Amino acid sequence: MERGITVARNGSDKTYSGPNDPPSGSGMLQLVEELYPIFRSITGSGVRQTLGVLQKYIPVEMREVPSGTQVFDWTVPQEWNIRQAFIATLDGKRIVDFAAHNLHIVHYSEPMDRVVEIDELRRHLHTIPDAPEWVPYRTSYYSKSWGFCLSQKQLDRMTEPRYRVVIDSSLQDGHLTYGELLVQGRCDETVLVSTHICHPSLANDNLSGIAVATALARCISEPQPRYSYRFLFVPGTIGSLSWLATNEDKLQNIKYGLVLSCLGDAGDVTYKRSRQGTAPIDRIVSHVLRHDGRPSKIVPFTPFGYDERQYCSPGIDLPVGCLMRTQPGGYPEYHTSADNPEYLRPDSLAHSLAILQQIVGVIEGDASYRNCSPKGEPQLGRRGLYRAMGGQSAVGDQHMALLWVLNLSDGKHSMLDIAEQAGLPFASIRTAATALAATDLLAPLSNNSP
Ligand code: ZN
């Protein structure tokens, strides 16, 4: 039976059925576990295999860009694939074996099969002396090299004068592969959601973003959303550059954007602002986090990190922020074998998805209305909107939301403006506006309203 993203319903996990059911944290973790053993790099069969798995859950399309394609200042590299790699004693005992862990090989290592003196070999070995059980993650995409990553404990056991080193890899003209899913909305204005897909066997940095983005795509595809949503599953840097360089005509439609990564650890949510700093997406995420009830952190844009570096380069300058929990490099397990599925918390994955759904809720629900009875307060009671019992000194948030919507719906304030001024969560302002719009008191100002 096909493994499905599961959804919590009435306290039990069931196979995902309805497109609007939010996948559960354990369902997303299950997808992480399914993708974890696949070897991925910036090119090669692992990216295709990964997208093949995602296609069981969402109709993501595979795009291929030929090696040698010029993308802005970069060139799409040759396609790198690897079948086996190991370091063995001269009598054939394998000391370090790629078959045992995907992190053991430095990405883009050139093919070789020769006996190497230990002094030369050591210059090609990478360990983490402070965490002697862990294997680090290293890449050398754009300079010719070879190397292995291993635990310090493995290295300490290497006492022979020479070893046989075998790397059965190929570096040939081929393609860079990425995934793209467009959920066409009622308008062409677009929300960009991008996550990287180039890390092998690393759970929080890479797979958590893939799992949460996949879950989000499932949540919003039906009924048809107001905005269009473009999901990109791209190899870091070269993948986003490839998409940007070949889709410049689509950039003007991107009104909001988020890069997703590191969304499954136990840390608090961190939002990194777009380069613009005060773009609508920055304001929306700030609003959602302020009303979330859990601690969170908002940090300014820096030209370092994930693909926001490309989306927010000066000649592109899209309103794209980055949603994370603990920032890359901010946890010791980052880029090591300890960033594995056991490091992830289902509750954190579920909370990250819930935050994204609220962000989408504001994007979809924000609009401006006109109070059709602006002279004096309209009489809410005869429209069934006012509690029957008067005289209480305080009113609830829901009633305050009605009063705020009526008072500020003067054509100059959006629902988000009103929520901010009222100090109320967007959802209660949205609920009040929907209730008022069902009467003769409130009318939308534009055609493209929720
Ligand atoms: Zn990384």
Side-chain angles (χ1 to χ4, degrees), residues 30-31 73 146 157 223 238 280 312 314 332 346 405:
Q30 200 177 312
L31 178 57
D73 198 42
W146 63 272
R157 286 195 295 268
I238 192 69
C312 296
V405 169

Side-chain angles (χ1 to χ4, degrees), residues 137 141 196 198-199 202 205-206 261-262 305-306 328-329 331 334-335 339:
Y137 163 59
Y141 305 131
H196 62 298
C198 51
H199 288 25
L202 289 166
D205 177 14
N206 200 174
S261 183
C262 300
Y306 293 107
Y331 53 101
Y334 171 76
H335 279 188
D339 184 357

Side-chain angles (χ1 to χ4, degrees), residues 214-438:
T214 301
L216 182 67
R218 287 194 69 144
C219 294
I220 63 168
S221 51
E222 271 183 54
Q224 186 181 32
R226 178 180 168 200
Y227 287 93
S228 295
Y229 290 77
R230 188 177 300 277
F231 288 85
L232 295 178
F233 298 86
V234 286
T237 306
I238 192 69
S240 53
L241 287 166
S242 295
W243 186 83
L244 285 166
T246 50
N247 290 279
E248 284 199 78
D249 58 319
K250 300 193 178 78
L251 304 188
Q252 65 189 21
N253 279 334
I254 296 175
K255 300 299 173 198
Y256 311 90
L258 286 171
V259 167
L260 305 183
S261 183
C262 300
L263 288 170
D265 63 273
D268 300 330
V269 169
T270 305
Y271 175 67
K272 177 178 161 183
R273 289 179 183 275
S274 73
R275 178 179 185 269
Q276 299 173 12
T278 53
I281 186 67
D282 299 315
R283 190 174 174 223
I284 290 169
V285 179
S286 304
H287 177 84
V288 166
L289 293 180
R290 193 178 315 128
H291 290 279
D292 178 51
R294 296 203 204 181
S296 59
K297 192 161 69 171
I298 296 178
V299 297
F301 175 77
T302 52
F304 187 73
Y306 293 107
D307 285 318
E308 69 275 14
R309 297 159 71 155
Q310 314 311 328
Y311 301 125
C312 296
S313 55
I316 303 290
D317 204 16
L318 291 172
V320 175
C322 181
L323 193 74
M324 302 164 275
R325 301 190 79 87
T326 305
Q327 294 185 73
Y331 53 101
E333 294 84 356
Y334 171 76
H335 279 188
T336 78
S337 54
D339 184 357
N340 57 46
E342 285 173 26
Y343 180 65
L344 302 191
R345 306 266 183 98
D347 169 66
S348 295
L349 291 164
H351 178 239
S352 299
L353 178 63
I355 292 289
L356 282 162
Q357 288 181 292
Q358 288 178 60
I359 293 167
V360 167
V362 179
I363 291 173
E364 290 286 307
D366 200 16
S368 295
Y369 292 83
R370 181 173 55 86
N371 179 343
C372 307
S373 180
K375 294 184 178 174
E377 282 187 355
Q379 198 182 1
L380 296 179
R382 69 181 162 88
R383 295 176 175 91
L385 292 171
Y386 194 68
R387 290 163 311 136
M389 187 68 65
Q392 288 159 271
S393 59
V395 294
D397 281 357
Q398 209 47 56
H399 190 72
M400 280 308 296
L402 290 170
L403 299 180
W404 275 112
V405 169
L406 284 169
N407 191 280
L408 290 178
S409 287
D410 52 5
K412 297 182 193 131
H413 297 88
S414 72
M415 294 296 104
L416 182 58
D417 294 332
I418 298 171
E420 298 269 81
Q421 191 159 337
L424 291 170
F426 180 85
S428 49
I429 293 295
R430 182 62 258 171
T431 301
T434 302
L436 288 164

Side-chain angles (χ1 to χ4, degrees), residues 39 41 43-44 78-82 106-109 169-171:
F39 181 77
S41 188
T43 63
Q78 287 192 309
E79 183 174 326
W80 183 69
N81 283 290
I82 183 157
V106 173
H107 290 221
Y108 271 69
S109 284
S169 65
S170 61
L171 194 55

Side-chain angles (χ1 to χ4, degrees), residues 117-139:
E117 300 289 328
I118 186 70
D119 285 348
E120 183 194 349
L121 180 57
R122 278 179 184 278
R123 292 198 293 275
H124 294 271
L125 300 182
H126 307 272
T127 66
I128 313 168
D130 291 342
E133 311 260 359
W134 297 356
V135 179
Y137 163 59
R138 293 282 185 278
T139 65

